[in-house]
């Protein structure tokens, strides 16, 4: 069983700016652990002969025409924002100008 | 902010060897974004070219812009790169509000192009071959505006405002291998390299290539090591260097700063640094390690890109000539001396002059106008020449008006001022401002006769064969015509008139 601690879930939720209750933290911790364990199971079955697969169906070169399609309006785009100002999303300042 | 101590540049180069590496981001000028059909336009109202995809809404599915793939392959080919037979997109995970998805769709271990090279000529005329490590496709991030604090910079900002119009715009990131041996020309080489990349993508037609709009952006890696030492020094990566002049200055600054630190026995910190154009200095950003963990993994929502050999060859056949070859051809075609031509290249006026010549101007006239009066005005207004509101076709029209004797140089400069002020095309300005040279000999003769009558002693001298005496008369006539006369024609007429009488 992987070590997905409640602290780790809270940290991730904080980074993603998602509010979580204690009940949710417990629920997500066990769900995330299950996912990580499943990956570990798959990993154990893989040897050097098996190529990494990112897509289950062997297909390539699926392209879109370079033609503009309607976008959302500014009001629609901002309708789900916690805060907005001058047509932009308003977010907390993060000290890292990268 | 504490001021960095800098070692004298020449002294730094006596002791240390410089190694640079350049990462150039090129924004493609496709109609739409990389993974959605939102318009790729600069300067629109904020958050009006956005959709569930580029806003990172759950469930939105990306769809690759085929034109962006084509343009990326062209860039790779123009840089003499191999094109990957199969390539994938990868998610680069990070938490920062400039991308709403919390990851950037990029390429990791399978870039579309790799192992290229390009010859770069520096102002001294020396040519360096810069090796390209890779060119990969990715998407641009949104634009953050930091509000509050004293400087508008992120330090001390109270909050940030995000515009996602740019999020998802196709980018190609071109990464060089470490560049050795440029010595004291490393700063010029860095700038000349970016100039060449800009020229290539512009001539390919795949990017608007306007640095002031961020279409071409450069991060400069600089490290130094004591001469003779094999181990590379610790490098810094300077971001936000967005003009050719800044690139040159930033690289030079880092060399001097690092040399001073090493000579004092202080270790260089591997970090991101920011370039500040206003004070001509870099400042410390965040520490950066090679092990920055972006948890890259193959993008599960997109299938691999596998350009066929036929497609690649078809695109190769459409490539314009390489910058070095184009330069050689143009110099021969125009008959410029090495000095004249280098001046044009280093002033970034090659395309302008090429277009002006194509619009009908004589090469030397085109060169004279762009490197002379237009450059002078740009300089005095502290602007990039491309920011001035004048087109090559308008310069060609002015040159043509001078060539045909309809304008004197002085009048032409006035027309130029009018064009820059947005008064219209040269011909309109000539008409509106009444600037055309008086080519009506009648009007000139009238003025000449008047002046000769006022200065009988001069008339006498000319008759005696002292032709240089005519200067005074010509000057007076030009003044009477308010400068709108062709001095050579006036001279002819003065002498003709004086000897007739």
């Amino acid at each position: 069983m992987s070590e997905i601690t409640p602290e780790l879930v809270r940290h991730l939720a904080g980074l993603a700016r998602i509010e979580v209750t204690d009940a949710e933290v417990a629920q997500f911790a066990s769900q995330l652990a299950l996912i990580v364990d499943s990956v570990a199971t798959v990993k154990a079955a893989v040897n050097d002969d098996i190529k990494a697969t990112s897509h289950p169906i062997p297909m390539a070169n699926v392209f879109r025409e370079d033609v503009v399609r309607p976008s959302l309006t500014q009001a629609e785009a901002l309708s789900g924002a916690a805060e907005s100002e001058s047509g932009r999303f308003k977010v907390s300042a993060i000290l890292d100008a990268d | 902010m504490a001021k960095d101590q800098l070692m004298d540049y020449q002294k730094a180069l006596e002791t240390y060897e410089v190694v640079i590496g350049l990462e150039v981001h090129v924004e493609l000028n496709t109609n739409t974004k990389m993974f959605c059909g939102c318009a790729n336009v600069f300067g629109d109202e904020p958050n009006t070219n956005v959709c569930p995809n580029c806003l990172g809404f759950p469930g939105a599915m990306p769809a690759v812009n085929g034109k962006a793939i084509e343009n990326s392959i062209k860039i790779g080919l123009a840089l003499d790169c191999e094109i990957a037979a199969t390539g994938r997109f990868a998610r680069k995970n990070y938490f920062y509000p400039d991308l709403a998805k919390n990851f950037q769709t990029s390429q990791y271990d399978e870039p579309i192009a790799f192992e290229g090279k390009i010859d770069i000529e520096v102002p001294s005329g020396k040519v360096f071959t810069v090796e390209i490590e890779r060119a990969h496709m990715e998407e641009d991030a949104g634009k953050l505006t930091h509000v509050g604090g004293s400087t508008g910079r992120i330090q001390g900002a109270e909050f940030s405002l995000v515009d996602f119009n740019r999020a998802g715009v196709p980018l190609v990131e071109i990464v060089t291998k470490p560049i050795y041996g440029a010595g004291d020309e490393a700063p010029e080489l860095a700038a000349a390299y970016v100039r060449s990349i800009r020229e290539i993508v512009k001539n390919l037609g795949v990017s608007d290539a306007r640095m002031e709009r961020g279409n071409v952006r450069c991060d400069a890696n600089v490290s130094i090591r004591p001469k003779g030492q094999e181990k590379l020094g610790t490098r810094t990566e300077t971001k936000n260097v967005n003009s050719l002049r800044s690139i040159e200055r930033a690289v030079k600054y880092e060399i001097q700063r690092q040399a001073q630190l090493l000579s004092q026995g202080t270790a260089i910190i591997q970090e991101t640094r920011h370039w500040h154009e206003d004070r001509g200095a870099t400042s410390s950003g965040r520490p950066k390690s090679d092990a920055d963990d972006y948890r890259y993994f193959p993008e599960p929502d997109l299938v691999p890109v596998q350009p066929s050999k036929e497609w690649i060859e078809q695109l190769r056949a459409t490539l314009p000539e390489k910058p070095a070859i184009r330069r050689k051809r143009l110099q021969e075609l125009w008959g410029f001396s090495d000095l004249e031509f280098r001046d044009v290249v280093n002033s970034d006026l090659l395309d302008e002059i090429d277009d002006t010549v194509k619009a009908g101007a004589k090469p030397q006239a085109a060169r004279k106008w762009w490197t002379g009066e237009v450059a002078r005005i740009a300089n005095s207004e502290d602007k990039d020449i491309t920011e001035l509101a004048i087109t090559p076709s308008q310069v060609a029209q002015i040159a043509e008006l001078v060539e045909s004797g309809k304008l004197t140089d002085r009048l032409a400069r006035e027309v130029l001022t009018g064009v820059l002020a947005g008064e219209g095309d040269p011909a309109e300005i000539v008409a509106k401002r009444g600037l055309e040279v008086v080519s009506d000999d009648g009007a000139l003769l009238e003025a000449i006769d008047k002046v000769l009558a006022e200065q009988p002693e001069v008339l006498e001298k000319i008759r005696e064969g002292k032709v240089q005496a005519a200067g005074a008369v010509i000057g007076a006539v030009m003044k009477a015509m308010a400068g709108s006369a062709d001095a050579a024609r006036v001279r002819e007429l003065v002498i003709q008139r004086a000897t007739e009488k």
Side-chain angles (χ1 to χ4, degrees):
Chain A
M1 190 73 184
S2 302
E3 277 300 299
I4 303 290
T5 62
E7 288 69 38
L8 189 60
V9 175
R10 281 202 190 85
H11 176 67
L12 275 175
L15 287 175
R17 304 188 58 73
I18 297 170
E19 218 172 321
V20 285
T21 64
D22 286 348
E24 283 168 332
V25 168
Q27 187 191 354
F28 293 154
S30 64
Q31 288 179 348
L32 287 169
L34 183 63
I35 292 168
V36 173
D37 284 346
S38 307
V39 173
T41 308
V42 173
K43 224 170 158 180
V46 172
N47 59 39
D48 293 344
D49 304 335
I50 300 173
K51 273 193 175 174
T53 308
S54 60
H55 205 267
I57 307 161
M59 58 192 300
N61 300 338
V62 179
F63 302 139
R64 168 176 60 80
E65 291 285 316
D66 186 25
V67 177
V68 176
R69 293 175 55 177
S71 296
L72 299 173
T73 63
Q74 191 186 69
E76 285 169 338
L78 296 170
S79 60
E83 280 187 278
S84 65
E85 194 177 298
S86 329
R88 296 169 172 88
F89 293 83
K90 187 171 173 181
V91 300
S92 330
I94 295 173
L95 198 93
D96 182 354
D98 206 28
Chain B
M1 199 171 292
K3 233 180 139 197
D4 293 313
Q5 296 222 313
L6 304 180
M7 186 186 277
D8 173 75
Y9 188 58
Q10 286 311 324
K11 193 178 155 205
L13 287 155
E14 280 161 25
T15 323
Y16 299 102
E17 191 204 346
V18 180
V19 182
I20 58 172
L22 300 161
E23 292 168 24
V24 176
H25 286 89
V26 177
E27 263 184 5
L28 302 182
N29 60 1
T30 46
N31 297 326
T32 65
K33 293 188 180 181
M34 187 76 216
F35 302 112
C36 62
C38 289
N40 170 15
V41 185
F42 178 86
D44 274 2
E45 283 297 304
N47 294 306
T48 53
N49 297 323
V50 292
C51 72
N53 215 307
C54 47
L55 287 176
F57 289 177
M61 288 292 275
V64 173
N65 183 343
K67 186 78 185 170
I69 303 281
E70 183 176 307
N71 290 348
S72 305
I73 294 174
K74 283 187 182 174
I75 291 176
L77 291 172
L79 295 170
D80 262 348
C81 287
E82 300 289 322
I83 303 301
T86 182
R88 274 188 297 195
F89 287 100
R91 292 188 182 185
K92 178 182 180 180
N93 296 278
Y94 70 91
F95 286 105
Y96 197 63
D98 62 359
L99 266 181
K101 298 189 295 185
N102 285 339
F103 63 84
Q104 179 190 33
T105 308
S106 179
Q107 293 194 293
Y108 183 48
D109 50 359
E110 295 171 271
I112 186 133
F114 54 95
E115 300 281 338
K117 62 175 181 343
I118 175 175
D119 283 346
I120 305 294
E121 185 179 334
V122 293
S124 70
K126 210 187 279 180
V127 176
F128 292 92
T129 299
V130 172
E131 290 183 274
I132 307 291
E133 165 126 5
R134 58 188 277 157
H136 69 254
M137 300 181 285
E138 59 185 30
E139 58 183 331
D140 211 342
K143 187 168 170 45
L144 293 181
T145 310
H146 305 298
V147 182
S150 55
T151 57
R153 279 205 276 274
I154 190 153
Q155 287 85 2
E158 285 153 29
F159 58 90
S160 304
L161 297 175
V162 197
D163 170 13
F164 286 110
N165 280 350
R166 199 180 62 186
V169 164
L171 282 184
V172 173
E173 179 177 343
I174 303 161
V175 183
T176 68
K177 291 187 177 170
I179 304 164
Y180 304 92
D184 64 347
E185 291 179 300
E188 284 96 337
L189 176 58
Y193 168 79
V194 178
R195 173 182 288 134
S196 283
I197 296 288
R198 201 185 54 175
E199 198 178 326
I200 286 173
V201 297
K202 198 173 162 202
N203 291 339
L204 284 171
V206 301
S207 173
D208 293 342
R210 294 179 65 163
M211 293 191 81
E212 75 278 10
R213 288 190 175 180
N215 296 150
V216 175
R217 313 195 286 262
C218 176
D219 299 340
N221 289 284
V222 176
S223 74
I224 60 172
R225 57 182 174 186
K227 282 189 174 170
Q229 177 183 303
E230 200 166 323
K231 191 170 175 278
L232 285 173
T234 303
R235 70 188 160 85
T236 59
E237 180 181 358
T238 304
K239 292 189 176 273
N240 193 24
V241 238
N242 294 330
S243 74
L244 296 173
R245 195 166 147 261
S246 310
I247 291 164
E248 199 171 319
R249 291 174 74 201
V251 170
K252 190 171 176 196
Y253 184 92
E254 270 304 292
I255 293 170
Q256 291 180 273
R257 187 187 68 85
Q258 293 183 16
Q260 180 65 31
L261 287 175
L262 287 185
S263 71
Q264 293 168 188
T266 312
I268 308 294
I269 302 165
Q270 184 168 338
E271 62 183 355
T272 300
R273 297 186 67 87
H274 301 286
W275 171 250
H276 306 282
E277 184 64 43
D278 46 350
R279 41 193 189 90
T282 64
S283 72
S284 176
R286 69 184 172 89
K288 195 179 164 104
S289 81
D290 287 327
D292 274 345
D293 187 2
Y294 290 115
R295 293 176 292 122
Y296 279 100
F297 64 84
E299 166 57 75
D301 289 339
L302 294 171
V303 298
V305 176
Q306 294 173 342
S308 67
K309 281 205 177 86
E310 293 73 34
W311 191 25
I312 294 170
E313 289 317 311
Q314 203 183 322
L315 292 175
R316 198 193 300 275
T318 68
L319 293 186
E321 65 192 331
K322 291 190 174 135
I325 294 169
R326 173 168 177 248
R327 287 178 192 184
K328 200 154 175 262
R329 176 178 63 81
L330 289 177
Q331 185 180 354
E332 275 169 24
L333 185 70
W334 295 342
F336 287 3
S337 70
D338 285 353
L339 195 68
E340 285 171 342
F341 196 76
R342 208 172 290 160
D343 185 37
V344 166
V345 170
N346 294 332
S347 314
D348 271 321
L349 289 168
L350 201 59
D351 290 336
E352 277 70 21
I353 292 173
D354 191 16
D355 291 343
T356 307
V357 172
K358 280 181 187 152
K362 290 198 168 154
Q364 284 294 3
R367 187 185 66 80
K368 195 192 86 183
W369 281 103
W370 282 106
T371 61
E373 191 62 12
V374 182
R376 192 191 62 75
I377 292 170
N379 213 17
S380 71
E381 292 180 15
D382 202 19
K383 279 186 179 163
D384 199 88
I385 230 164
T386 54
E387 288 175 75
L388 294 181
I390 188 159
T391 63
S393 143
Q394 288 169 325
V395 173
Q397 289 168 42
I398 293 176
E400 163 58 26
L401 287 168
V402 175
E403 176 76 17
S404 63
K406 291 196 176 115
L407 287 181
T408 59
D409 271 10
R410 196 190 64 79
L411 290 174
R413 280 198 293 275
E414 204 176 323
V415 172
L416 183 69
T417 314
V419 172
L420 291 172
E423 290 173 29
D425 274 333
E428 293 171 54
I429 295 165
V430 168
K432 247 188 273 175
R433 292 200 184 184
L435 294 176
E436 194 154 347
V437 165
V438 178
S439 50
D440 169 8
D441 283 356
L444 291 178
L445 286 172
E446 200 177 308
I448 289 166
D449 286 346
K450 192 159 169 277
V451 175
L452 286 175
E454 283 163 5
Q455 306 186 24
E457 70 289 353
V458 178
L459 178 60
E460 201 52 44
K461 279 185 186 165
I462 300 172
R463 283 186 176 158
E464 286 164 13
K466 290 179 183 158
V467 181
Q468 66 270 33
V473 178
I474 296 164
V477 171
M478 290 302 284
K479 202 173 165 197
M481 304 305 299
S484 59
D486 176 12
R489 180 66 187 149
V490 171
R491 188 171 189 280
E492 273 173 30
L493 289 175
V494 167
I495 292 167
Q496 185 192 327
R497 206 61 170 172
T499 41
E500 269 172 19
K501 283 198 173 178

